[in-house]
Amino acid sequence: MRICVAATPKVALPTLEYLRLSEHELVSVITQPDRPAGRGQKSRESDVSEWALRNGIHCAKPESEEETLRALAGADLLLTIGYGVILPLKVISAPSHGSINLHFSLLPRWRGAAPVQRAIEAGDSVSGVTVFALDEGMDTGPIYLEKRFALDADITSDELLNELSELGVEAVTETLELIDKGVRPRTQSVEGATRAFKISKEEAEVDWNQTAQVISQKIRAFTSNPGAWTIFRGSTVKIFSPLISELELEPGQILIQDKKLFIGTATFALEIGGVQPSGKAQMAASSWVNGVRLATGERFG
């Protein structure tokens, strides 16, 4: 089968690598145009664009429907993975086998832009991947198959994305076999549907008046993008690697004990494993503690 992949983030790379080496033909890759990034706002290629360049795969960066259709010429199937653009029906139906999407949740739960982050934030015990046929809705198309993945209590979004990107290779492989056999996808249920809205920097601010469990889920969900953060001495500090302790402190209260950093919540204090002060690299909380010289009564938030 001649396949075109429309993708942008790093999580697409395991599937792209599989397709490159498979019996299928990866005819081209479509990705988002280069965007300004970093402090200098220099133009940066997507992870998928860089991969295509390294592997000699034709890579298109269309900015219109007509350019997208030209990039799809000759493809039997379009596979999308975190492409970041809602494609019109004319594009979806252009390949002879239509278009499919690899989505990082068990649909219909967590339709939308941030399914992995929202699953961890909500305290879900299981996640997974879904491969479905694209339609004009937001992750509403009929489903070929799903694969489940149990979540550890301390998993972060970075870790779960890595796990699901590998699980996605299996899901795509099996889906392509189903398509070859002429198997039709089943209608997706609407029961239990939820939306995984894009995460804003504002909502990633930690509210220390919430419970330790809720805050822990939020920190792990937003690691490392956009990063859960709080205010300390008028500047932002990102927070990583929370662990619920048996200590009780006032919300936001800072305690340094045995070179460990504890922050109070509405229930138990959180031991914080890592921090990233504004303008600096991420560091172990113990290193931050050694240099911060806390004054009595200082707190986060």
Side-chain angles (χ1 to χ4, degrees), residues 10-18 81 102 104 128-129 147-149 158-174:
K10 181 180 178 181
V11 291
L13 301 190
T15 299
L16 283 168
E17 191 62 25
Y18 153 70
I81 310 173
L102 172 60
F104 295 128
V129 298
K147 287 188 173 291
R148 300 168 70 84
F149 184 86
D158 289 350
E159 293 165 341
L160 182 52
L161 280 166
N162 286 337
E163 295 284 358
L164 296 185
S165 68
E166 297 294 339
L167 187 61
V169 175
E170 296 179 28
V172 168
T173 301
E174 294 177 24

Side-chain angles (χ1 to χ4, degrees), residues 56-96:
I57 305 295
H58 174 68
C59 181
K61 302 174 183 179
E63 299 196 55
S64 68
E65 181 179 315
E66 291 72 22
E67 290 179 3
T68 305
L69 287 169
R70 284 198 294 272
L72 278 173
D76 300 316
L77 179 75
L78 171 64
L79 166 63
T80 64
I81 310 173
Y83 178 40
V85 175
I86 296 177
L87 298 171
L89 184 59
K90 189 175 181 180
V91 170
I92 292 170
S93 58
S96 56

Side-chain angles (χ1 to χ4, degrees), residues 4-6 66 72 161 170 184 198 216 221 225 232 245-246 269:
C4 174
V5 176
E66 291 72 22
L72 278 173
L161 280 166
E170 296 179 28
R184 304 296 299 172
K198 186 177 180 180
S216 174
N225 185 26
F232 178 72
S245 74
E246 296 182 352

Side-chain angles (χ1 to χ4, degrees), residues 14-32:
T15 299
L16 283 168
E17 191 62 25
Y18 153 70
L19 291 172
R20 184 179 71 86
L21 301 173
S22 73
E23 71 275 18
H24 302 286
E25 182 182 354
L26 181 57
V27 294
S28 63
V29 168
I30 297 173
T31 193
Q32 292 264 12

Side-chain angles (χ1 to χ4, degrees), residues 82-153:
Y83 178 40
V85 175
I86 296 177
L87 298 171
L89 184 59
K90 189 175 181 180
V91 170
I92 292 170
S93 58
S96 56
H97 286 294
S99 301
I100 60 174
N101 176 256
L102 172 60
H103 184 76
F104 295 128
S105 82
L106 299 175
L107 293 172
R109 187 161 176 79
W110 303 126
R111 295 170 173 170
V116 166
Q117 293 89 338
R118 297 304 182 188
I120 294 176
E121 182 187 21
D124 289 1
S125 61
V126 65
S127 183
V129 298
T130 304
V131 181
F132 67 94
L134 283 173
D135 61 13
E136 291 184 285
M138 173 68 75
D139 301 328
T140 56
I143 292 172
Y144 279 101
L145 59 81
E146 295 176 315
K147 287 188 173 291
R148 300 168 70 84
F149 184 86
L151 302 188
D152 292 335

Side-chain angles (χ1 to χ4, degrees), residues 206-217 242-253 255 262-271:
V206 177
D207 179 359
W208 298 105
N209 291 297
Q210 294 180 316
T211 67
Q213 186 64 45
V214 168
I215 295 172
S216 174
Q217 289 166 190
L243 180 64
I244 299 175
S245 74
E246 296 182 352
L247 298 175
E248 294 185 25
L249 301 170
E250 293 182 5
Q253 181 181 348
L255 172 66
F262 295 89
I263 310 297
T265 75
T267 53
F268 295 103
L270 286 175
E271 179 185 342

